[in-house]
Amino acid sequence: MAVDVPRDTSDPAAPTAPPLPPGANPAEPPLPPGATPSGPAVPHRGLALAVIAAGMLTITLDGSIVTVAMPTIQRDLGFTPAGLSWVVNAYLIAFGSLLLLAGRLGDLLGRTRMFLAGTAVFTLASLLAGAATTPALLIAARFLQGVGSAMAAAVGLGILITLFGEPRERARALAVFSFTGAAGASIGQVLGGILTDALSWHWIFFINLPIGAVAFLVARRVLPVDRGVGLAAGADVAGAALVTAGLMLGIYTVVKAEEYGWVSTPTLGLGAVSLALLGAFVVRQATARTPLMPLRVLRSRSVAGANLVQALMVAALFSFQVVVALHLQSVLGYGAAETGLAMLPAAVMIGGTSLGVSARLISRFGERAVLLTGIALLIGALGFLTRVPADARYVTDLLPVMLLAAGFGLATPALTALGMSGAGEDDAGLASGLFNTTQQIGMAVGVAVLTTLAAARTDRMLGEGHGRAEALTAGYRLAFTVGTGLLVTAFAVALLVLRPARTHS
């Protein structure tokens, strides 16, 4: 029986179609450059990156710009010493506790919508903060600023991940994103001193108005239109209430621990309630039909390990960003603007490594190797500070530390890529919110623990008759020592938990 074999009638000279990527559906045409799986092509991805990076710059700048203006705000509005801390705490509590919820709502309702709404809330709250005439009004406005910041920051990474799918492009985008976050902290210290001295403290908030307005208008034109997967895919009201209340109470407990003491009844009691709420949230997510945070996100070793490393790194680097500034001002007598300029080399090194070399190194060696290298440099930086003298010379005792801060420019983009690596299209906002949440929790714990330890050592040294400069320096050195230990732990977690990533070259 003869079998007809179909003849190949195709033109051998005709061009062949390129192979489809793994997992692609041959019945569907490939996505054009700049397209996202859930939306049309985005012709201005560079502008989209600039808008998201500007949003991160404003958020981090706002966190540091306030610190140098605190004494002036206290005198002008009549804050008590205890009440003044709530200018920072109100923002921190709102921001840290709402990131996870805002990230998931971005997945459900649309990440661009959430970013635009957050930018609008933050800008309007900045207007209220700048116009505040009483402590209560300023604290309320700072809380609203934290709400807006959480809404915008929670989805920023998720938008970037969906816009830049090719590994090398994504590494470059994350490097820009990481640089603006680091630069905002340094710029804020300089800008806060200049604005407060030249104009008034009100302008540290008014400066956000033109930035926020331009960011909102540009974002409406260049960010991709995404409608989200709908509330039916995860409108877990009970879970949202549990995680928001648990995080808010937990961060409140940490920031008040310095006042009450770590083993006091209020701290232990509130901490226990916070842990109970978060435990109930985890149980709820394991059993709910449409959970707010599907636990599958945490099954990835890269995601879980990167978030743990993130918390340890941020807690440790508080001792660099803040304690070094305190040492410059309280011991060496630097002014606010001088302190910012003294720390400028660190921002330059971070910018040079994150924008100049991190993407290429990640492409060649993988995220894990670059992360470990960055953490090793940071261990050297804080280790150098554990021996800083009370009469430190900038060039010999502090400038080397600023140069070693380049490790932050290596570690942060690599860590961000790992923290987002296990997120699918529908969970990118959630993973972004989770990554930012661990950052804020790490910061809150770092502030509370390292400040408490440094203050206790300083008080003990003063009680023993040592001079003020020597006592303060001893307290700061203890903070640097603990920070170094946290970084060593982060290095060990990254080495043992995070799997080596394939190179992308």
Side-chain angles (χ1 to χ4, degrees):
M1 178 178 176
V3 178
D4 288 333
V5 179
R7 291 182 299 168
D8 183 4
T9 58
S10 61
D11 183 358
T16 58
L20 290 170
N25 185 350
E28 297 177 357
L31 290 171
T36 65
S38 58
V42 181
H44 304 295
R45 289 191 299 166
L47 276 176
L49 172 60
V51 166
I52 295 171
M56 177 55 62
L57 175 67
T58 305
I59 289 169
T60 54
L61 185 149
D62 190 75
S64 61
I65 200 172
V66 174
T67 56
V68 296
M70 296 279 273
T72 306
I73 292 173
Q74 182 177 16
R75 290 193 301 270
D76 194 9
L77 296 186
F79 271 100
T80 64
L84 184 64
S85 66
W86 283 97
V87 176
V88 174
N89 292 342
Y91 179 89
L92 180 63
I93 289 172
F95 186 31
S97 61
L98 292 174
L99 279 164
L100 191 61
L101 174 60
R104 187 54 178 165
L105 288 178
D107 290 331
L108 301 178
L109 301 176
R111 287 183 282 274
T112 295
R113 290 178 180 175
M114 185 62 64
F115 184 87
L116 290 171
T119 302
V121 170
F122 176 81
T123 305
L124 292 175
S126 296
L127 175 62
L128 294 176
T133 55
T134 67
L137 287 177
L138 181 56
I139 291 172
R142 289 289 288 163
F143 186 89
L144 286 177
Q145 276 190 308
V147 173
S149 295
M151 295 168 69
V155 296
L157 275 175
I159 296 174
L160 286 186
I161 292 300
T162 57
L163 280 180
F164 297 90
E166 195 274 324
R168 186 167 298 184
E169 287 185 343
R170 179 176 293 183
R172 293 194 189 102
L174 292 178
V176 173
F177 183 85
S178 301
F179 165 70
T180 54
S186 299
I187 294 171
Q189 291 175 325
V190 179
L191 191 59
I194 293 173
L195 289 175
T196 302
D197 291 342
L199 298 172
S200 72
W201 66 264
H202 301 275
W203 284 92
I204 67 174
F205 299 113
F206 289 150
I207 193 67
N208 294 328
L209 301 183
I211 299 174
V214 171
F216 182 87
L217 294 174
V218 176
R220 286 192 63 186
R221 296 181 61 87
V222 304
L223 292 187
V225 178
D226 61 327
R227 303 187 180 280
V229 296
L231 286 175
D236 181 11
V237 177
L242 286 170
V243 71
T244 303
L247 288 173
M248 192 170 290
L249 183 60
I251 295 172
Y252 173 83
T253 303
V254 169
V255 299
K256 295 293 286 183
E258 182 180 358
E259 176 182 342
Y260 294 133
W262 283 96
V263 294
S264 65
T265 300
T267 300
L268 294 177
L270 293 175
V273 174
S274 172
L275 291 175
L277 289 170
L278 294 175
F281 168 72
V282 173
V283 172
R284 168 74 183 178
Q285 300 316 287
T287 58
R289 185 173 62 87
T290 56
L292 176 72
M293 188 186 81
L295 297 182
R296 65 176 179 270
V297 175
L298 296 177
R299 292 175 189 157
S300 166
R301 287 182 61 172
S302 293
V303 173
N307 275 276
L308 178 56
V309 172
Q310 160 95 320
L312 292 167
M313 268 185 55
V314 170
L317 292 176
F318 164 77
S319 64
F320 174 81
Q321 179 182 339
V322 179
V323 179
V324 169
L326 289 173
H327 185 265
L328 288 169
Q329 295 186 62
S330 302
V331 178
L332 302 182
Y334 283 44
E338 289 177 302
T339 298
L341 291 173
M343 299 186 71
L344 191 59
V348 172
M349 292 302 298
I350 292 170
T353 52
S354 62
L355 295 178
V357 300
S358 66
R360 290 198 295 270
L361 291 177
I362 289 172
S363 177
R364 181 175 178 84
F365 300 107
E367 291 91 348
R368 179 177 178 265
V370 175
L371 172 62
L372 290 172
T373 303
I375 296 176
L377 291 174
L378 294 174
I379 291 172
L382 289 193
F384 200 89
L385 286 170
T386 60
R387 304 181 64 182
V388 66
D391 58 347
R393 297 177 182 272
Y394 180 78
V395 173
T396 57
D397 297 315
L398 295 173
L399 184 57
V401 175
M402 305 299 170
L403 301 180
L404 287 171
F408 192 78
L410 293 178
T412 304
L415 186 60
T416 303
L418 288 167
M420 297 295 295
S421 61
E425 169 69 17
D426 294 340
D427 295 327
L430 171 62
S432 173
L434 177 63
F435 194 71
N436 282 288
T437 298
T438 58
Q439 183 183 71
Q440 294 306 308
I441 292 174
M443 185 182 300
V445 173
V447 168
V449 173
L450 297 180
T451 301
T452 301
L453 292 174
R457 172 66 65 86
T458 297
D459 290 342
R460 185 162 59 252
M461 294 284 288
L462 290 172
E464 295 173 356
H466 295 276
R468 180 175 180 274
E470 184 181 357
L472 284 171
T473 302
Y476 298 151
R477 281 200 298 257
L478 177 59
F480 297 139
T481 301
V482 175
T484 303
L486 292 173
L487 285 175
V488 170
T489 305
F491 185 93
V493 172
L495 182 65
L496 299 174
V497 176
L498 300 178
R499 292 191 178 99
R502 292 181 305 171
T503 59
H504 305 303
S505 58

